[in-house]
Amino acid sequence: MTQKTKLRSSFAEAVADIPDGSTIAFGGFAMPGTPFNLIKALMDQGAKRLTLVANTTGGAQQPRMPDIGMLVENGQVAKVICAFTAATRPTDKLPFTPYYESGEVEAELVPQGTLAERMRAAGAGIPAFYTPTAVGTELAEGRETRVINGREYLLEYALPLDYAFIRARTADTAGNLRFHRSQRNFGPVMATAARVTIAEIDEPIIAAGGIDPDDVHTAGIYVHRLVQVPPAPDGLWPTKRQERKR
Amino acid sequence: MTQKTKLRSSFAEAVADIPDGSTIAFGGFAMPGTPFNLIKALMDQGAKRLTLVANTTGGAQQPRMPDIGMLVENGQVAKVICAFTAATRPTDKLPFTPYYESGEVEAELVPQGTLAERMRAAGAGIPAFYTPTAVGTELAEGRETRVINGREYLLEYALPLDYAFIRARTADTAGNLRFHRSQRNFGPVMATAARVTIAEIDEPIIAAGGIDPDDVHTAGIYVHRLVQVPPAPDGLWPTKRQERKR
Amino acid sequence: MSGTKGLNRQQMADRVAREFQDGWIVNLGVGIPTMCSNTDIGDRDITYHSENGVIGYGGVAAEGHEDLNLVNAGGQNVTLKPGAAVVHHADSFGVIRGGHIDATVMGAYQVSMTGDFANWKLKGQKGGGIGGAMDLAACARRVFIILEHVTRDGSARLVTACDLPVTARGVVTLVATNYGLFEPTRTGFLLREIAPGLTVDEIRATTGGMLTVTHGLREISISG
Amino acid sequence: MSGTKGLNRQQMADRVAREFQDGWIVNLGVGIPTMCSNTDIGDRDITYHSENGVIGYGGVAAEGHEDLNLVNAGGQNVTLKPGAAVVHHADSFGVIRGGHIDATVMGAYQVSMTGDFANWKLKGQKGGGIGGAMDLAACARRVFIILEHVTRDGSARLVTACDLPVTARGVVTLVATNYGLFEPTRTGFLLREIAPGLTVDEIRATTGGMLTVTHGLREISISG
C-alpha cells in the first residue's frame, strides 16, 4: 500500500487547497451529519465566489453553528443551491435570506428529494432524469416536461460537485465510512458526486479492514481526506436543538 | 403490532397466489443471492405467460440449479429481460438460447448496469433517465438519444415489477434484510421495484429490532414475505462453481 | 393564533391520525402534523418515515436520553421503534417518490377545492422554504393537510383556487381544520365531519369555493 | 487457440497490469483479463472492482476456504482485501457509470483502429451476452483490451472497422495481443511494444487498418 494516506492532521490542512469558485456541498440535516468543523475551517481559509450546496443555509436554530449563512456573511459565497432560502415558519428569519433578497448572493431553490437525486445522478453517471416533483408549480415554469405513461414529469439535470464536506461516526484508513442514525442523510450521496470528499470523523480512525465490508455505508473509493474531530471545545459537536424565540 | 405477519411456512405458500402474466425478477449474480428455492416453487406452482427479469437465464454452470431456463423448458415463460440471452463464451450453450432463437420465447437484452438502474428508477419513482451505456451500438438503433453537455445519451425507462424473488442472509420479522458479501447484488434494487417482494432467508428469522437500524441493507417496508431456507437436501444452497466441460 | 373556535392543534392531529390504517407508512411534516405521533392509534402498526432517512421512528426522546445524531424532519431528537431502518437521503426520497408512502400529513397556507395546496412561499416573497414538501405532495399516495380554518385576519384558507404559489396540484385527499374535516371533490369541498360547537353556516361563511355537506353529518369525536 | 506465437495469456495480462497506477480502481473482465490479478504489481495499491458490487477483492480463495456467497464477475470464489466494501448492483454500476473506474480490462473479438470494439455478439447471432461490458466500455476512464492477434483461421482481429456489432465506439485506450501492445490513434494502430520473436513485418501482415510503429520500438518485457 503506497497510496498516499487519506489522514489529515487538521481541518485547516484538509481544506487548504480549495480554490476560489469551487462548488462545495455540505452534508447534514439539522445538526446530525453537518460538518461544522470543516465549514469553520473554510471560513478561516477564505476561498471566495463559492457555490454551496446543502439542504438549508442554516441559522434557524440556537445555538448557531458554522453554516452557509456565516460563509455568506464572510463574503465567500456567490451562489447557494438548497431546499430552503427562507425558513419553514415565515416568522423565522434565516441569516442568509436578506443577502438573497437583495441580490447580493444568487440562489437556486430545489426540492429536497430532487436535490438529493441530482447529486446521486452525478455520482452514478446519469446526466439527467425525469421526476414528478414540482410539476405544475412555479419551479417548473418555462422548463422542459414530458408525459410518460399519461403523467407529466419534469426534466432535471445531474449536479456534480468539486468538493463534499461530510461528517461520519467511524472511518478506516481506506476511507470506508459508517454513519450513526440520521447522521447519514446527504453524506453518502454527496460523497459519490464530488471529485474530492473530505470527511470529519467522530471516532478515532481505525485500520483498513476494521469495518466489515458488509457494514460499510460509503465505500472508501469515494472518500479522499479524513480528519478526526477533537473533543469539545476544540472540536464542534452537535448539541441539543433549542427552539428560537418567536 | 397487528400488521399481518410476513412469515411464510413454505416456499409453495409464499408463491401460491402469483397469477399468470406476472412480471417477476430473480436476484442473483452467479450462485450468490439466487432464490433457488422460490424458483423451484414457482415451477411447481405453474403460473404461465410470465415475464422474467434477471441478470442471466442460467444454466451455464454445473451443477445446474433452478433457473429461468428451467421455467422456460417448463412452458411458463413468455418473455425474459436480461443481460445475457447467450453465454459469454460462444462455445457455451445456455438452455434458454434455442427457445429465444426459435422465437418461442421473447427476450429483451439490456446492459447489466442499465437493467439495475431501470429497476432502481422504478423503485425510486424516476420514470425515465439518460445513460451513456449502449450509445452507438445496435441496442440504440431507432431509439431516442439526447446530447447533454456535448455527449450523447440514450433514454431508458423504469422497469417496475410485480414480484421480486430474492435471497438474503438475515431477516427480522419487520422484513429488514441483511445480505452476506456478493449475495447482495440485485436483491435490494429489485425489492424497491416490486409490488410484492418475497425473500428466502439463510438464517432463522429474528425478532424486529434484532438488526441494528444502521446495519439494515434492505428496509422492511420493501419486503412482504419471508421464508426460511431449510438445511440441504430439503433446501437448495449455493455450491462451489464447477466449470462446464468445453 | 386564530384557532380559538373548534378543535385545538392536538385534536386536529388526532382526527387525521385516526385515518391511518394498519400497516401504513406515514410521513409527518413539521408543526401540527408531528403531533399525529402523539395520538393513541391502538393496536394499528404505523411506520413513521422522515425525509432524512429514518424509517420507523417513535416518540420524542426523554430529556437526558436524546441521541444527538437522531432527529425527525422537524429536528426533534426522537427514538426508534423495533424494526427501524436508516437509509441515506437519495434512498429516503426513493421511498417517497417511488410511491411507498401511504400518507403524508402537512401544514399549508391554503388548499383549493380541486386539491391544490400552497405551503412553501408567501405572496411576493423571493425564494421560500420547500424542503421535502413538493416531493411528498407529488408522490405520496394520500396527502392529508392540517391547517387553521381561517387566517389571522379571518379570511378563508379553503379557497376556490390558491393565490399563493402551489406546492402541488390536485393531490389533496383530506383536509382537517379546527372547524371540520373536508374532502376536495369535483363539486367543491365536501364537509365530512364538523367540529363540536361549529355550525354548517359558520363553516359555509368562512370557506371559499363550493361547499357540500355529507349526508348524516356527524361531529368529530374528540375522545381520540 | 491460435496464440502459439508471441506472448501467452498470462504474459498478455501481465503487460496490461503493468499499466495500472498506484491508487487506481480497476475492473477485470471474465477470461484473460482476470489473470491481471495474478500479476505482481509490487507496492502499487490497486482496488479491484467487480460488477456484482465487490470493491477491493483479492485472489481466488484457497480450496476449502471458499465463501460461497462471494464471487467475482467470472463467478470465481475470491477473497477480500482489508478495506473492501460491498454495495448493491445499482450502486456498483453507479461506480462504473459515474466514471470512478480508472481502467477496465476486457476481452474482445475485434478492435478497430478508431477505438471501437466488439465482444458481445457473433455475426448473425440473435441476442448475445452483454453483461456489464457496455456499461464498462462507455464509462470507464480507460478501456484496455486483451485478445489474440488473429482468429483461428488467421484473419485479423485488429481491423479498420468492426464488422461485428460493437460494444462501444471510440473508447479503446490500449490493446494487448500476443503479438504486441497497440494504441488506437487518429492515424491507425500505433505499435508501442513488440512481443519477443515477432517482427514488424509479421505484425503488419496480420493487422487490419493502418499501422504505425513507435520510434525506438522495444520488446515487451516478459519478466513481469
Side-chain angles (χ1 to χ4, degrees):
Chain A
M1 142 100 68
T2 66
Q3 210 185 335
K4 261 173 49 187
T5 177
K6 296 181 174 182
L7 306 183
R8 297 293 179 274
S9 58
S10 71
F11 300 106
E13 184 193 337
V15 305
D17 64 352
I18 293 181
D20 292 354
S22 298
T23 296
I24 313 175
F26 300 158
F29 182 98
M31 294 251 181
T34 306
F36 298 127
N37 298 282
L38 288 166
I39 297 172
K40 180 160 168 270
L42 184 63
M43 291 177 65
D44 296 338
Q45 192 259 16
K48 300 233 181 316
R49 302 193 314 278
L50 301 172
T51 294
L52 300 179
V53 183
N55 184 49
T56 175
T57 58
Q61 291 166 19
Q62 293 296 341
R64 189 162 176 206
M65 304 287 275
D67 59 25
I68 286 180
M70 287 190 193
L71 285 155
V72 167
E73 290 165 349
N74 216 23
Q76 296 181 252
V77 183
K79 182 178 178 182
V80 170
I81 302 175
C82 64
F84 294 94
T85 62
T88 312
R89 273 198 299 260
T91 46
D92 285 350
K93 287 292 168 216
L94 298 184
F96 168 75
T97 307
Y99 289 86
Y100 174 51
E101 290 177 344
S102 72
E104 205 166 325
V105 177
E106 201 184 336
E108 182 180 342
L109 192 55
V110 182
Q112 197 175 139
T114 299
L115 186 65
E117 189 67 11
R118 287 178 59 193
M119 289 187 280
R120 191 266 174 197
I126 302 294
F129 59 90
Y130 291 93
T131 176
T133 301
V135 167
T137 75
E138 185 182 296
L139 291 190
E141 279 171 21
R143 291 174 53 199
E144 180 176 341
T145 62
R146 180 186 188 107
V147 174
I148 299 172
N149 294 329
R151 186 168 179 192
E152 190 178 1
Y153 296 94
L154 186 62
L155 181 66
E156 294 281 359
Y157 291 91
L159 176 56
L161 309 169
D162 295 317
Y163 295 87
F165 288 6
I166 64 177
R167 183 165 184 152
R169 170 64 58 94
T170 314
D172 70 14
T173 54
N176 292 304
L177 302 183
R178 274 176 63 79
F179 302 87
H180 180 69
R181 306 301 188 230
S182 73
Q183 186 186 49
R184 197 179 316 187
N185 64 74
F186 284 96
V189 184
M190 290 174 172
T192 67
R195 280 193 306 101
V196 178
T197 296
I198 312 176
E200 52 177 81
I201 308 297
D202 292 349
E203 294 179 344
I205 290 153
I206 60 180
I211 304 176
D212 188 282
D214 288 344
D215 293 338
V216 170
H217 293 153
T218 287
I221 58 169
Y222 292 118
V223 181
H224 306 91
R225 300 174 193 173
L226 300 166
V227 191
Q228 191 189 326
V229 180
D234 291 337
L236 297 171
W237 294 78
T239 61
K240 209 186 147 181
R241 174 175 180 264
Q242 294 169 24
E243 293 286 338
R244 278 162 71 90
K245 291 189 193 67
R246 308 203 203 180
Chain B
M1 142 101 66
T2 65
Q3 209 187 334
K4 259 174 47 185
T5 177
K6 295 181 176 183
L7 305 184
R8 297 292 179 275
S9 58
S10 72
F11 299 106
E13 184 192 335
V15 304
D17 63 353
I18 293 181
D20 292 352
S22 298
T23 296
I24 314 176
F26 300 158
F29 182 97
M31 295 251 180
T34 307
F36 298 126
N37 298 281
L38 289 165
I39 297 172
K40 181 161 167 270
L42 184 63
M43 291 178 64
D44 296 337
Q45 192 259 14
K48 300 233 180 314
R49 301 194 313 278
L50 301 172
T51 294
L52 300 179
V53 183
N55 184 48
T56 176
T57 58
Q61 291 165 21
Q62 294 295 344
R64 189 162 176 206
M65 304 286 275
D67 59 24
I68 286 181
M70 288 190 192
L71 285 154
V72 167
E73 290 164 351
N74 216 22
Q76 296 181 252
V77 183
K79 182 178 177 181
V80 170
I81 302 175
C82 64
F84 293 94
T85 61
T88 312
R89 273 198 299 260
T91 47
D92 285 349
K93 288 291 168 216
L94 299 185
F96 168 75
T97 307
Y99 290 86
Y100 174 51
E101 288 177 345
S102 72
E104 204 167 324
V105 177
E106 200 184 335
E108 182 179 340
L109 191 56
V110 182
Q112 197 174 140
T114 299
L115 186 65
E117 189 67 11
R118 287 178 60 193
M119 289 187 278
R120 191 265 172 195
I126 303 294
F129 59 90
Y130 291 93
T131 176
T133 301
V135 167
T137 75
E138 185 182 296
L139 291 190
E141 278 170 21
R143 292 175 53 199
E144 180 175 341
T145 62
R146 181 186 189 107
V147 174
I148 299 173
N149 293 329
R151 188 170 178 189
E152 190 178 0
Y153 295 94
L154 186 61
L155 181 65
E156 295 282 358
Y157 291 91
L159 175 57
L161 309 169
D162 295 318
Y163 296 88
F165 288 5
I166 65 177
R167 182 165 184 151
R169 170 63 59 94
T170 314
D172 70 13
T173 53
N176 292 304
L177 302 184
R178 274 177 63 78
F179 302 86
H180 179 69
R181 306 301 187 233
S182 73
Q183 187 186 50
R184 197 178 316 186
N185 65 75
F186 284 97
V189 184
M190 290 173 172
T192 66
R195 280 193 306 101
V196 178
T197 295
I198 313 177
E200 53 178 78
I201 307 297
D202 293 347
E203 295 179 344
I205 291 154
I206 59 180
I211 304 176
D212 187 283
D214 288 344
D215 293 337
V216 170
H217 293 153
T218 287
I221 58 170
Y222 291 118
V223 181
H224 307 91
R225 300 174 193 174
L226 299 167
V227 191
Q228 192 189 326
V229 180
D234 291 338
L236 297 172
W237 294 78
T239 61
K240 208 187 151 182
R241 173 176 181 264
Q242 294 168 22
E243 291 288 337
R244 277 162 73 88
K245 290 190 192 69
R246 305 204 202 177
Chain C
M1 101 184 189
S2 59
T4 47
K5 269 191 200 168
L7 306 185
N8 65 28
R9 292 153 60 97
Q10 183 62 52
Q11 288 165 339
M12 289 191 265
D14 288 345
R15 180 59 195 86
V16 167
R18 286 213 299 274
E19 296 290 311
F20 301 165
Q21 292 172 27
D22 188 42
W24 273 16
I25 300 155
V26 174
N27 182 293
L28 301 178
V30 181
I32 307 180
T34 302
M35 301 169 90
C36 291
S37 64
N38 301 331
T39 304
D40 178 8
I41 50 166
D43 60 0
R44 282 173 287 162
D45 184 32
I46 305 298
T47 300
Y48 291 112
H49 165 273
S50 68
E51 290 91 308
N52 56 347
V54 184
I55 305 171
Y57 68 85
V60 171
E63 182 85 25
H65 289 79
E66 299 90 352
D67 180 339
L68 298 180
N69 278 307
L70 175 56
V71 299
N72 64 9
Q76 297 172 298
N77 293 119
V78 289
T79 57
L80 294 177
K81 287 188 183 172
V86 177
V87 298
H88 64 53
H89 233 84
D91 281 350
S92 181
F93 279 84
V95 174
I96 294 170
R97 214 187 303 99
H100 308 288
I101 300 289
D102 293 289
T104 183
V105 188
M106 283 191 270
Y109 304 136
Q110 289 183 328
V111 181
S112 85
M113 63 182 192
T114 54
D116 305 347
F117 77 104
N119 78 348
W120 69 279
K121 180 175 188 172
L122 298 175
K123 210 172 294 186
Q125 187 182 357
K126 184 177 179 186
I130 299 178
M134 284 192 184
D135 303 276
L136 284 158
C139 305
R141 292 192 194 162
R142 299 167 190 83
V143 177
F144 297 161
I145 301 289
I146 302 180
L147 76 180
E148 303 289 338
H149 198 84
V150 295
T151 65
R152 269 158 227 254
D153 64 7
S155 52
R157 292 181 183 274
L158 274 57
V159 295
T160 305
C162 296
D163 56 5
L164 294 175
V166 300
T167 306
R169 295 194 184 279
V171 298
V172 176
T173 319
L174 197 66
V175 184
T177 78
N178 47 324
Y179 288 12
L181 190 70
F182 303 84
E183 197 179 311
T185 71
R186 280 182 301 178
T187 55
F189 290 107
L190 172 68
L191 176 62
R192 278 178 38 181
E193 296 180 19
I194 189 166
L198 269 288
T199 66
V200 170
D201 283 347
E202 281 175 292
I203 289 176
R204 202 176 292 281
T206 53
T207 303
M210 314 233 291
L211 183 80
T212 57
V213 179
T214 197
H215 293 292
L217 180 69
R218 287 190 305 186
E219 266 195 8
I220 293 176
S221 152
I222 57 168
S223 58
Chain D
M1 100 184 192
S2 59
T4 46
K5 268 192 202 167
L7 305 186
N8 65 27
R9 293 153 60 96
Q10 183 62 52
Q11 287 165 339
M12 289 190 265
D14 288 345
R15 180 60 194 87
V16 167
R18 286 214 299 275
E19 296 290 311
F20 301 165
Q21 292 172 30
D22 188 42
W24 273 16
I25 301 156
V26 174
N27 182 292
L28 301 177
V30 181
I32 307 180
T34 303
M35 302 171 90
C36 291
S37 63
N38 301 331
T39 304
D40 177 9
I41 50 166
D43 61 359
R44 283 173 285 162
D45 184 31
I46 305 298
T47 300
Y48 291 112
H49 165 274
S50 68
E51 289 92 310
N52 56 346
V54 184
I55 305 171
Y57 68 86
V60 171
E63 183 83 27
H65 290 78
E66 299 91 352
D67 181 338
L68 298 181
N69 279 306
L70 176 55
V71 299
N72 64 10
Q76 297 172 297
N77 292 120
V78 289
T79 57
L80 295 176
K81 288 188 183 172
V86 177
V87 298
H88 65 53
H89 233 84
D91 281 351
S92 180
F93 279 84
V95 175
I96 295 170
R97 213 187 304 99
H100 308 288
I101 300 289
D102 293 290
T104 183
V105 187
M106 282 191 269
Y109 305 136
Q110 290 183 327
V111 181
S112 84
M113 63 181 192
T114 54
D116 305 348
F117 77 104
N119 78 347
W120 68 281
K121 180 175 189 171
L122 298 176
K123 210 171 294 182
Q125 186 181 357
K126 184 176 179 189
I130 300 178
M134 284 192 185
D135 303 276
L136 284 158
C139 305
R141 291 193 193 161
R142 298 167 190 83
V143 177
F144 297 160
I145 300 290
I146 302 180
L147 76 179
E148 302 290 338
H149 199 83
V150 294
T151 64
R152 272 159 225 252
D153 63 6
S155 52
R157 292 181 184 273
L158 274 58
V159 295
T160 305
C162 296
D163 57 4
L164 294 174
V166 301
T167 307
R169 295 195 184 277
V171 298
V172 176
T173 319
L174 198 65
V175 184
T177 78
N178 47 325
Y179 288 12
L181 189 70
F182 303 84
E183 197 178 311
T185 71
R186 281 182 301 179
T187 55
F189 290 108
L190 172 67
L191 175 63
R192 276 178 38 180
E193 296 180 18
I194 189 165
L198 269 288
T199 66
V200 170
D201 283 349
E202 280 175 292
I203 289 176
R204 201 177 294 280
T206 52
T207 303
M210 312 234 290
L211 183 80
T212 56
V213 179
T214 197
H215 292 290
L217 179 69
R218 286 189 306 185
E219 267 194 5
I220 295 176
S221 154
I222 57 168
S223 57

